[in-house]
Amino acid sequence: MTGEVAVLGAGMHPWGKWGRGFVEYGVAAARAALADAGLEWRDVGSIVGADTVRGGYPGYVAGATFARALGWQGARVASVYAACASGAQAVAAARAQILAGLADVVLVVGADAAPKGFFRPAGGDRPDDPDWLRFRVLGATNPTYFGLYARRRMAVHGDTVEDFAQVKVKNAALGALNPYARYRKRVSAEEVAASAVVADPLRLLDICATSDGGAALVLSSMEFARRRGVAEPVRIRAVSTVTPTYPNTVLDLPDIATDSAAAVEPAAGTFRASIARAAYEEAGVGPEDLSLAEVYDLSTALELQWYEDLGLCGEGEGAKLLREGATAPGGRIPVNTSGGLASFGEAVPAQAIAQVCELTWQLRGDAGARQVQHARVGITANQGLFGHGSAVITVR
């Protein structure tokens, strides 16, 4: 086990389509996190920015961009890009600096002003880029993959479109309680079924939108937290950033083919399952210890897959867990108490940080009407293109 770091502050800018630059969202989230921690920007020894998706220059040096916007004060700086896992890898970089003694306090920030519609590769010809290839060769947008995942679950495990709709119903009800969520309206299963088909069998309300938003965390050493009089802070105990194991025999974004298992036996578990397993091993906990989970629900069907990948139930039992109410408020293991991406949409570099914000508020008992009673251990699960896995375990 590695050392723990304290979460002293969490802050967000509400998700939506605001028509402003990502720096504004990130700075607002950073200032909120600093205020939550009771610290000033000058108290921060390092800033790590989760890079946004930009063809231009500033988005790919997010750490320095946010430091400049907050006011140059000489802090260490780093910028991290790992697609949708950028936020978690920024947390990992911040934690490493703290444990190495390079800084007592690190500010982690991610923000985005996302395009309308769905994400696509930047311009230019890049035949060695699998993301570029799947758009140009297959025309396979992200929703195409979401539909394939859903079809696989229906064929292999017997999931139904009604199961998928219930995920949206659950998450929309929670998002309605979250002041930072973009969509704050409850929906019915009938409304999901009546929405337009996007990638059969998934409909518009089964798939998350793209959004603007920002999230930030103030992390510190445990010694610094004690000096500040914070005796029992929320603590980050593990950050998993694993890559897949060859051969990968389940089709995954952005690849358009699986690896052959003719020469090498497949790994015992899938890539997504390995993300959680590495986090559990590092933290010294298991799925039975969890109070709640925040998972990467790009689609309703994918949330069900995460139930199994996190070990919340056996393979093929995700829909059963949902039907039993285990993942709803008051259930055995509430999932996506924030409302999930179903309620927020994707603001890529911010979303993994936002997941940790939700765990922080839940473990503090500050989540209001969304509060999970007696929450002590939480996990996030996220996945970025090109083999970027991420999971964060927080405890109190």
Side-chain angles (χ1 to χ4, degrees):
M1 291 175 61
T2 58
E4 297 176 336
V5 298
V7 184
L8 292 188
M12 291 175 63
H13 182 288
W15 259 236
K17 282 290 186 181
W18 307 115
R20 300 192 293 275
F22 77 95
V23 180
E24 183 175 336
Y25 310 140
V27 168
R31 287 175 175 156
L34 287 166
D36 187 42
L39 297 175
E40 301 291 335
W41 163 231
R42 68 177 66 90
D43 298 321
V44 173
S46 178
I47 180 170
V48 182
D51 291 349
T52 192
V53 180
R54 285 290 173 276
Y57 186 66
Y60 286 109
V61 287
T65 299
F66 292 130
R68 180 182 181 184
L70 289 164
W72 296 126
Q73 49 93 314
R76 287 177 175 271
V77 67
S79 296
V80 177
Y81 182 71
C84 292
S86 296
Q89 293 205 16
V91 169
R95 184 180 68 147
Q97 290 184 3
I98 292 168
L99 295 179
L102 298 176
D104 278 336
V105 181
V106 182
L107 175 64
V108 181
V109 191
D112 200 6
K116 185 177 181 180
F118 51 76
F119 294 106
R120 60 182 176 84
D125 293 338
R126 296 186 310 283
D128 57 346
D129 175 355
D131 200 33
W132 182 89
L133 282 171
R134 54 110 173 183
F135 270 83
R136 297 302 185 272
V137 176
L138 297 182
T141 63
N142 287 10
T144 299
Y145 276 80
F146 306 157
L148 289 171
Y149 291 142
R151 276 288 168 201
R152 184 178 189 276
R153 288 200 60 85
M154 294 174 79
V156 176
H157 302 309
D159 291 7
T160 67
V161 292
E162 291 77 18
D163 292 324
F164 303 151
Q166 286 303 320
V167 175
K168 175 65 176 184
V169 171
K170 171 183 72 71
N171 289 348
L174 287 159
L177 303 174
N178 193 330
Y180 296 106
R182 176 180 178 181
Y183 301 105
R184 300 191 60 196
K185 178 184 176 183
R186 293 172 179 266
V187 301
S188 66
E190 291 74 21
E191 288 174 301
V192 178
S195 63
V197 173
V198 175
D200 187 70
L202 299 179
R203 296 180 176 272
L204 185 64
L205 294 183
D206 284 302
I207 295 174
C208 75
T210 61
S211 290
D212 299 355
L217 296 164
V218 176
L219 308 183
S220 80
S221 66
M222 295 301 297
E223 181 182 353
F224 181 90
R226 285 191 289 269
R227 291 202 306 267
R228 297 289 299 190
V230 185
E232 294 187 14
V234 173
R235 308 182 303 281
I236 292 176
R237 183 172 285 180
V239 184
S240 165
T241 58
V242 298
T243 54
T245 300
Y246 178 85
N248 193 352
T249 57
V250 177
L251 190 67
D252 211 347
L253 272 168
D255 298 314
I256 58 178
T258 57
D259 299 327
S260 171
V264 180
E265 285 292 322
T270 64
F271 170 44
R272 278 192 291 267
S274 73
I275 297 170
R277 184 170 62 250
Y280 290 141
E281 290 174 355
E282 183 180 329
V285 301
E288 67 280 1
D289 299 308
L290 296 176
S291 306
L292 73 158
E294 283 286 306
V295 305
Y296 186 49
D297 60 317
L298 292 168
S299 78
T300 51
L302 189 57
E303 176 168 321
L304 297 180
Q305 184 64 49
W306 279 114
Y307 295 174
E308 299 165 24
D309 294 332
L310 292 182
L312 308 183
C313 60
E315 183 178 356
E317 296 178 352
K320 179 175 180 288
L321 197 69
L322 175 78
R323 294 169 196 153
E324 293 171 347
T327 60
R332 173 172 63 83
I333 175 67
V335 176
N336 281 343
T337 58
S338 67
L341 294 181
S343 300
F344 277 75
E346 284 195 275
V348 169
Q351 55 208 33
I353 300 172
Q355 289 179 323
V356 181
C357 288
E358 177 68 14
L359 293 191
T360 299
W361 293 323
Q362 288 284 353
L363 268 59
R364 285 180 184 171
D366 292 339
R370 307 187 314 280
Q371 184 63 50
V372 175
Q373 295 302 309
H374 312 299
R376 305 297 294 178
V377 182
I379 189 171
T380 71
N382 205 292
Q383 181 185 356
L385 288 181
F386 318 114
H388 291 114
S390 74
V392 178
I393 291 179
T394 59
V395 300
R396 191 174 191 187

